[in-house]
Amino acid sequence: MNGHLIGEEKPDLILLSQTLTGENSVELLRNLQKREDAKRIPVIVMTDSLEPSVEGECLEAGAEDFLSRPLNFQIAHSRIDRIIELNCLKEELQEALKDPLTGMCNRSYAENQISAYLKDHKIGAYFMIDLDNFKQVNDAFGHVAGDEFSLFFYRYFHCREGLCGVVQRCRQGALFFQTKRQK
């Protein structure tokens, strides 16, 4: 797939014609789901086909919705507006789950992720790093420096193979990580 599909400004929505030339639209949807820069962009597929299997295949591949041609512009407009609004709400929710100063996930999010992980997996590990005398860093250099110090450790461990994205700032100076076996 062309690496230049998503530019610097991320679109609010992708309207994808099912009758693409070259790459199959279902394959394109699957590829979009694999890309960090594109997987959160909602996709609506337009098609001439009335086959339910085509719609099902596109939805399973990651499409948010499906429109049949010829388009009814009132329906298309309503669906596009609804999907963009829902996507904005999802993004707001994702932001609410993060510590506003550091960007690390908050305790509630981490606890939910850990519970969900434990339901589905038997193999994994959780560990906590307690940064000793962390209060002294905040007292001596201020809370901004303390946040930067926490972020240094977060980035260091978050970028290591085998560590998941569930990294939380539990309390001052404590970082909690979830690991899982790589497939």
Side-chain angles (χ1 to χ4, degrees), residues 25-96:
S25 59
V26 173
E27 189 62 32
L28 178 58
L29 282 165
R30 288 188 182 117
N31 286 333
L32 286 170
Q33 292 303 308
K34 294 176 188 175
R35 291 182 49 168
E36 286 299 317
D37 65 338
K39 68 182 178 182
R40 289 199 175 114
I41 302 171
V43 179
I44 296 178
V45 177
M46 297 182 306
T47 186
D48 298 324
S49 175
L50 297 175
E51 291 293 321
S53 62
V54 172
E55 182 176 354
E57 194 175 10
C58 289
L59 292 171
E60 285 177 13
E64 288 284 325
D65 208 344
F66 197 82
L67 293 169
S68 294
R69 286 187 286 234
L71 290 180
N72 175 313
F73 289 102
Q74 182 180 8
I75 291 172
H77 187 267
S78 294
R79 287 183 179 182
I80 289 169
D81 282 351
R82 178 185 49 84
I83 288 171
I84 290 173
E85 182 178 353
L86 287 173
N87 203 50
C88 287
L89 290 171
K90 280 189 222 176
E91 287 179 10
E92 286 176 20
L93 179 59
Q94 288 296 321
E95 287 303 311

Side-chain angles (χ1 to χ4, degrees), residues 116-176:
Y117 181 82
L118 289 174
K119 275 190 211 176
D120 298 333
H121 299 85
K122 303 290 185 234
I123 297 173
Y126 298 90
F127 63 96
M128 185 173 89
I129 297 174
D130 191 1
L131 305 174
D132 288 336
N133 303 316
F134 189 78
K135 183 178 178 336
Q136 291 175 349
V137 172
N138 281 341
D139 290 346
F141 302 103
H143 290 280
V144 172
D147 290 337
E148 287 298 318
F149 190 67
S150 291
L151 277 170
F152 169 80
F153 283 95
Y154 164 76
R155 289 180 184 127
Y156 178 81
F157 286 104
H158 185 70
C159 297
R160 297 298 176 254
E161 189 171 329
L163 292 179
C164 300
V166 180
V167 180
Q168 157 197 0
R169 189 173 176 178
C170 294
R171 61 185 196 282
Q172 283 203 335
L175 302 175
F176 181 83

Side-chain angles (χ1 to χ4, degrees), residues 102-122:
T102 63
M104 287 186 257
C105 65
N106 65 26
R107 180 179 176 181
S108 174
Y109 177 77
E111 288 174 352
N112 288 337
Q113 290 292 86
I114 291 165
S115 294
Y117 181 82
L118 289 174
K119 275 190 211 176
D120 298 333
H121 299 85
K122 303 290 185 234

